[in-house]
Amino acid sequence: MTSKPVRPTPREKVVDYDDGDPYSCIAAGRHEEDLQKALQAQVEACYEQPDSRLEVLVSQDRASVKTALFDIWERERRTRQRPQLATWAAEQMAQLGDSSLRDYDLS
């Protein structure tokens, strides 16, 4: 059996947040998480929509879109509520050059 794929790393959006205050570092980390969750919602909204919607997001931030697709795939595989969405996310990752999710599902 194939080992579970590794989550891609999103591109950092908050570049320099270490000003010596530990709380600013925590807040910046939280802000990064919130930005990734918002992008994940945008990516998920592309499901059953024209490919051009996802292509726009990919052109803006390919690495973070791949992370969002991975997170959608993982969540839907875990909950088994919408297996079609997990399959879609795996196919989109394959189109972006990473077939590990699809290969894992087929193994």
Side-chain angles (χ1 to χ4, degrees):
M1 179 168 193
T2 308
S3 62
K4 184 177 176 187
V6 177
R7 182 180 187 258
T9 305
R11 180 179 60 87
E12 284 189 34
K13 294 171 186 67
V14 179
V15 178
D16 185 17
Y17 52 81
D18 189 7
D19 63 358
D21 178 5
Y23 294 106
S24 67
C25 186
I26 292 168
R30 176 60 192 240
H31 183 61
E32 284 279 355
E33 287 179 23
D34 292 344
L35 290 173
Q36 188 62 32
K37 286 180 183 179
L39 179 63
Q40 183 176 333
Q42 289 179 312
V43 169
E44 192 168 336
C46 294
Y47 177 60
E48 295 185 330
Q49 298 298 316
D51 291 342
S52 59
R53 286 188 66 182
L54 185 61
E55 290 169 4
V56 168
L57 296 175
V58 169
S59 70
Q60 294 169 352
D61 188 350
R62 182 183 190 94
S64 295
V65 168
K66 288 174 77 172
T67 303
L69 287 167
F70 181 91
D71 291 343
I72 292 166
W73 172 81
E74 187 173 48
R75 181 194 68 218
E76 295 305 325
R77 287 187 84 253
R78 185 180 64 251
T79 64
R80 299 179 185 200
Q81 292 180 350
R82 298 182 292 173
Q84 308 88 344
L85 183 57
T87 300
W88 173 81
E91 287 301 319
Q92 297 309 307
M93 280 285 275
Q95 289 181 16
L96 294 175
D98 182 352
S99 64
S100 62
L101 304 182
R102 185 177 62 194
D103 296 345
Y104 184 79
D105 284 343
L106 294 174
S107 66

